[in-house]
Amino acid sequence: MELFTPGQARRISLAIALCLTLVGTLLGYRGLSPLNHLEDRSLDLRFKLRGTLKPPASVVIAAIDEKSIAELGRWPWDRLLFARLVDQLTAAGAAVVAFDVMFTEPSPQDTELQQAMDKAGNVVLPLVFTFAGAPQTISDQIISSTAYPTVVNSNAFSRVAPITATGVRPPLPTLAATAMGFGHINMFSDNDGTLRWEALAIANGDSFYPALGVQTAALFLGIPWDKVTLDATRSVNIGPRRFPTDRFGRTLINYYGPENTFPYLSAADIIAGRVPHEQLAGKVVLIGASATGIYDLRVTPFSPDMPGVEKHASVIASIIDNRPLQQAPGWLTLLMILVSGTLLGLVASRASATASSACFGLLLLTMAGAALICFNGWGIWLNVSYPAMNLCLVFGATSAWHYAVTERRGRQVRAMFSSYITQSLVNELIAHPELAKLGGERREVSVLFSDIKDFTSFSEQHSPEEVVALLNEYLGAMTDIILKWEGTPDKFIGDAILAFWNAPRSCPDHAERAVRCALEMRERLTSMQQSWQERGLPLLDNGIGINTGEAVVGNIGAEGKKMEYTAIGDQINLGSRVESLTRRLDVPLLITETTLAHLQPAIDAGTLQGMFIEGLAKVIVKGRHLPVDLFCVTPLPEADMPTLVMPCPEMEPVKLTDK
C-alpha cells in the first residue's frame, strides 16, 4: 500500500485533532466524574499556591477549647455559662455574636441566657435542616421571618431543584424570641469528603433560608434584611455585595487559610474577663467548639482538620471583605477546549514533533498560569482539567498518528533500501548508524567488479527499449545473487556492477563470499543465456574481477544534500583493472593474490570445495608499480571435490599500459 502523501497525512492528523476536540467539548458539556474530581483537587492546589490571606480584624472566634473545658467543666455546658459569655461580649462592645452551638433542648438556665441575649440585641442563632423523614415546614413566625424576603427569578428553581430540606431543628422558642436572626449551619462535603461549598440557600416549604454567615455579615454591615435578595441559581445579593451561586444555590467558600488563620480567644478567658475589651469591641464574635472530641473535623482545601466554626468565619469574612469566589462560566471552558485543541491540531499537523511538543507544553503552561492568575487576582475558578485532558488526547493521538506514518514510511524505505543491500545489513545500519558515518572508515574489503562484454556494440545494434529491458533483467538477477551472499551493491555504472563485502557489517569470510557469489553469478548467467536463446534475444556475457584490500568505506558526499555509501581507494581501482583483464586473458572470473591469500585458510581446512584456482599471469597494471598475481576461478564438476590451486608460472611481470 502506498504511503499517504504529506498533504493527506496533515489533513488526517488535523481531522483526528478536531474529532477529539469535539469529543472533549461534549465531555466538558456533559461532565465526567473523574475529571470533576481532578478539577476539585486542582482547586485545592490553587488555594495552597495562593497561600493564606490576611483575615479582616473584625472577625474573631470565641473558642470552647481545652482550656475552657478544663476551667469551666466538661461539655455540654450549663446555659448559665453561655449567658455569662454573652454578657461579657456585650460589655466589651461586640458588634455581632453568632453561635455555632445548638440550643434545641430546654434547660433550667434558659431564662438567664434569654435575658443575656435580649440585653445584647445582636445574637444570631443557628438552624440545622434535616433531609430525611416526612416533610415538615418551619411554623415559628419569628424564624420564618429570616427567610430571604425577596427571591428573584424563582421560576429557575422549577428547572433545577434547589437543596430542599424535609425538616428543621430550630432553637428553643424562648431563645428564638430574643435572637436578631437565624442561619443554617448545615455543611455539604464533596464526594471526596472535602468541604468546598457553602449552601447560601436551603429550601423549606415555599421559603429559602440563608446560611449563618449571610445573616451574621448582613447584621454586622448594617444592611437591612429586606435589602438581601436571592437571585435563584445565580447569586445572593447582600446590599451591593453580590455572591455568585451555582444552580443549587451554593457558593464556593473562600478559605482564608488553614486552621488558626483567624484569631482564637478562649471562652474561659472571655468569661473570666481576661480578654481586653478592645479585642472584642465592634467585631463579629463566633462562638464555637475547638476542643478535641466535641467538634467535627472538617476537611478543607487547606487542612484535614479545621474546626467548623472557622469555616463560618471564612464565609463571614469573605462577605465583609467582598471577596467572593466563582466558577468561570461553562461556555468559557468549552471555548478553551475548542480553541486549544484546534490550535494544537493545526500545529501538530504541520510542524515537527519538537514544535508540536513545545506547543503542547506552552498551552498547558498557559492554562495553568491563567488559572492561577484568575484565581489569585479575581477569585475565578477556571476549569483547566477538561481542556488539559483534551490537549493530552490530541497530542497523544496526533503523535501516535505521526509515529505510525513515520514507521510506515520507514518500513517502505527499509523495503526499498533492502532492494540494494540485504535486510541484515539494513538492520545493522539502523542499529549502528555510526557505521555509515560521513567520511567513512578504513576497512579491509573484498570488491567485485562485473562488466558486460561488448556492451557498446550491443547497444548500437538494438533499440534503447530493448537494451534497457534486457539490461534490467540481467542486473536484477545479478543483484539478487549479490544480496543472497550478503554483499553491499555499491553502484551500477551503465552495464557494470560494483559490490563489496565486509562493510558496513563485519564479515570475516568476505573473500570467500565474494568468490562464491561470482561463481553463482556465472552459473545464473549461463541459464539466462539459454532462456535468451530460446526467446530469440541476443546473448550477453560478462567478466568478473575480485580483489581484496584496504579501502575507505562509508558515506561520501555533501552531508544533508547528496551522500552515497561507497568504497574508494587504490584496492578498489585495482579490482576494476582486474575485471578489465578478463577480456585480455579470455577468462570469465579473475581474482588477485590477496583474495587467494584470504581463501587459503578455508582451502587448507577443506571447507572451501568445488573450485579450481589457476594462476595465469603476473601483471603490473597502469598506475601501479608492484606486480599482481592473477588467478582464474572455475567450478569443478563436483561441488564436494577439494579445491585445487595452481600457482602462477614463473615469469617476468607483464606491464600493462591500458586501463
Side-chain angles (χ1 to χ4, degrees):
M1 185 180 294
E2 295 183 357
L3 286 172
F4 293 105
T5 66
Q8 290 174 328
R10 286 195 297 269
R11 288 192 291 272
I12 293 174
S13 176
L14 181 59
I16 292 172
L18 293 178
C19 288
L20 286 174
T21 298
L22 290 176
V23 172
T25 304
L26 179 61
L27 290 177
Y29 177 74
R30 297 296 299 272
L32 194 64
S33 181
L35 285 178
N36 292 337
H37 178 66
L38 179 63
E39 183 61 22
D40 288 341
R41 290 298 187 183
S42 78
L43 174 65
D44 299 347
L45 178 60
R46 275 171 255 192
F47 272 111
K48 293 182 175 69
L49 292 175
R50 185 196 68 183
T52 301
L53 299 175
K54 183 180 180 180
S58 54
V59 180
V60 297
I61 297 172
I64 303 168
D65 54 7
E66 282 82 359
K67 180 179 180 180
S68 300
I69 298 297
E71 285 190 20
L72 303 175
R74 65 180 185 178
W75 188 262
W77 278 356
D78 191 291
R79 300 283 165 80
L80 186 59
L81 291 176
F82 288 111
R84 290 167 57 188
L85 179 59
V86 173
D87 285 337
Q88 288 288 359
L89 293 174
T90 301
V96 180
V97 177
F99 274 96
D100 187 24
V101 179
M102 292 296 298
F103 301 111
T104 58
E105 300 295 332
S107 170
Q109 292 81 24
D110 284 342
T111 302
E112 286 81 356
L113 180 56
Q114 179 185 4
Q115 291 172 350
M117 291 172 56
D118 188 39
K119 180 181 177 182
N122 61 359
V123 176
V124 179
L125 292 180
L127 305 172
V128 173
F129 285 101
T130 58
F131 299 88
Q136 172 191 355
T137 58
I138 296 175
S139 57
D140 191 314
Q141 293 298 319
I142 296 174
I143 297 177
S144 297
S145 65
T146 62
Y148 284 105
T150 304
V151 180
V152 181
N153 192 35
S154 59
N155 61 334
F157 280 137
S158 64
R159 298 188 298 270
V160 179
I163 299 174
T164 303
T166 58
V168 66
R169 292 174 59 200
L172 293 169
T174 54
L175 300 179
T178 58
M180 287 298 294
F182 307 90
H184 77 81
I185 56 173
N186 292 83
M187 299 187 190
F188 304 93
S189 299
D190 290 336
N191 291 333
D192 61 355
T194 304
L195 186 62
R196 300 183 180 91
W197 298 86
E198 176 81 337
L200 294 188
I202 292 181
N204 182 253
D206 296 328
S207 301
F208 296 88
Y209 292 86
L212 181 72
V214 175
Q215 276 280 6
T216 303
L219 187 60
F220 175 80
L221 294 170
I223 297 174
W225 190 240
D226 61 0
K227 299 297 183 182
V228 178
T229 61
L230 170 64
D231 190 349
T233 72
R234 296 174 182 169
S235 66
V236 168
N237 304 313
I238 307 165
R241 291 167 169 79
R242 180 180 183 275
F243 272 69
T245 65
D246 65 0
R247 55 183 180 166
F248 304 111
R250 304 179 307 166
T251 191
L252 285 167
I253 302 171
N254 192 356
Y255 286 101
Y256 277 62
E259 64 274 10
N260 297 310
T261 296
F262 288 85
Y264 278 74
L265 303 174
S266 175
D269 288 339
I270 297 174
I271 292 173
R274 294 190 291 264
V275 177
H277 285 188
E278 57 266 22
Q279 294 187 30
L280 300 168
K283 298 182 179 181
V284 173
V285 181
L286 277 162
I287 301 174
S290 67
T292 303
I294 64 170
Y295 73 102
D296 293 329
L297 298 179
R298 301 295 174 177
V299 179
T300 71
F302 276 109
S303 170
D305 54 359
M306 177 182 287
V309 66
E310 192 160 359
K311 183 275 295 184
H312 296 304
S314 286
V315 174
I316 295 169
S318 63
I319 296 175
I320 293 173
D321 284 345
N322 197 20
R323 277 183 167 173
L325 290 181
Q326 60 180 317
Q327 278 186 304
W331 62 264
L332 182 58
T333 301
L334 301 182
L335 182 63
M336 288 172 60
I337 296 173
L338 284 171
V339 172
S340 62
T342 302
L343 179 60
L344 180 58
L346 286 170
V347 173
S349 65
R350 296 177 179 273
S352 64
T354 301
S356 299
S357 300
C359 180
F360 172 64
L362 183 61
L363 286 172
L364 286 181
L365 288 175
T366 301
M367 286 183 183
L372 288 176
I373 291 172
C374 289
F375 187 77
N376 295 348
W378 300 291
I380 297 175
W381 178 12
L382 193 65
N383 190 316
V384 293
S385 294
Y386 283 91
M389 172 214 65
N390 183 68
L391 284 178
C392 291
L393 289 177
V394 170
F395 180 72
T398 54
S399 297
W401 165 251
H402 288 305
Y403 179 76
V405 170
T406 303
E407 279 292 293
R408 187 176 178 188
R409 183 177 290 114
R411 288 194 299 270
Q412 196 166 66
V413 170
R414 181 185 297 216
M416 290 187 294
F417 197 28
S418 296
S419 67
Y420 297 96
I421 60 176
T422 63
Q423 183 64 44
S424 61
L425 293 182
V426 174
N427 295 334
E428 188 76 10
L429 287 172
I430 292 173
H432 304 285
E434 68 277 3
L435 295 177
K437 62 184 178 181
L438 185 65
E441 61 178 341
R442 284 186 173 274
R443 296 284 288 270
E444 184 180 60
V445 297
S446 289
V447 60
L448 179 151
F449 275 90
S450 173
D451 195 10
I452 296 177
K453 297 178 179 180
D454 300 324
F455 185 72
T456 302
S457 300
F458 167 74
S459 299
E460 291 176 351
Q461 298 171 10
H462 297 83
S463 68
E465 291 78 9
E466 291 177 319
V467 172
V468 170
L470 199 61
L471 185 60
N472 283 342
E473 184 179 353
Y474 163 78
L475 292 177
M478 298 301 105
T479 302
D480 287 342
I481 297 171
I482 294 171
L483 295 176
K484 172 185 173 182
W485 289 99
E486 298 188 338
T488 302
D490 187 336
K491 57 176 68 72
F492 299 116
I493 310 169
D495 62 309
I497 300 174
L498 167 59
F500 53 84
W501 280 258
N502 204 35
R505 192 182 66 174
S506 295
C507 179
D509 59 343
H510 51 88
E512 180 179 342
R513 287 177 179 270
V515 174
R516 288 188 181 277
C517 175
L519 289 175
E520 186 170 341
M521 289 171 68
R522 288 295 306 171
E523 181 182 357
R524 179 76 176 99
L525 180 60
T526 300
S527 63
M528 293 178 71
Q529 288 172 339
Q530 294 175 355
S531 173
W532 291 333
Q533 187 174 20
E534 293 171 358
R535 291 152 53 191
L537 298 175
L539 306 183
L540 301 180
D541 197 6
N542 68 4
I544 301 174
I546 298 175
N547 179 47
T548 300
E550 192 174 72
V552 176
V553 183
N555 278 319
I556 311 298
E559 187 170 10
K561 297 179 181 179
K562 174 65 176 177
M563 294 192 301
E564 181 179 11
Y565 191 78
T566 186
I568 60 175
D570 178 62
Q571 297 297 327
I572 305 299
N573 296 333
L574 178 58
S576 177
R577 302 286 192 274
V578 171
E579 184 278 324
S580 65
L581 291 175
T582 59
R583 297 165 180 77
R584 186 184 186 98
L585 300 177
D586 194 24
V587 292
L589 172 57
L590 285 175
I591 67 173
T592 64
E593 58 189 22
T594 54
T595 301
L596 177 59
H598 279 74
L599 297 177
Q600 197 63 53
I603 296 172
D604 295 340
T607 57
L608 185 63
Q609 299 174 333
M611 300 181 191
F612 176 52
I613 303 175
E614 180 184 5
L616 296 182
K618 294 178 181 288
V619 298
I620 301 176
V621 299
K622 184 177 180 180
R624 292 176 63 89
H625 302 291
L626 298 177
V628 178
D629 290 356
L630 299 181
F631 297 83
C632 173
V633 182
T634 55
L636 292 173
E638 300 293 335
D640 57 352
M641 294 178 64
T643 294
L644 300 177
V645 179
M646 182 178 292
C648 283
E650 292 297 330
M651 58 182 293
E652 286 295 323
V654 179
K655 188 170 184 178
L656 305 177
T657 58
D658 56 342
K659 294 184 178 180

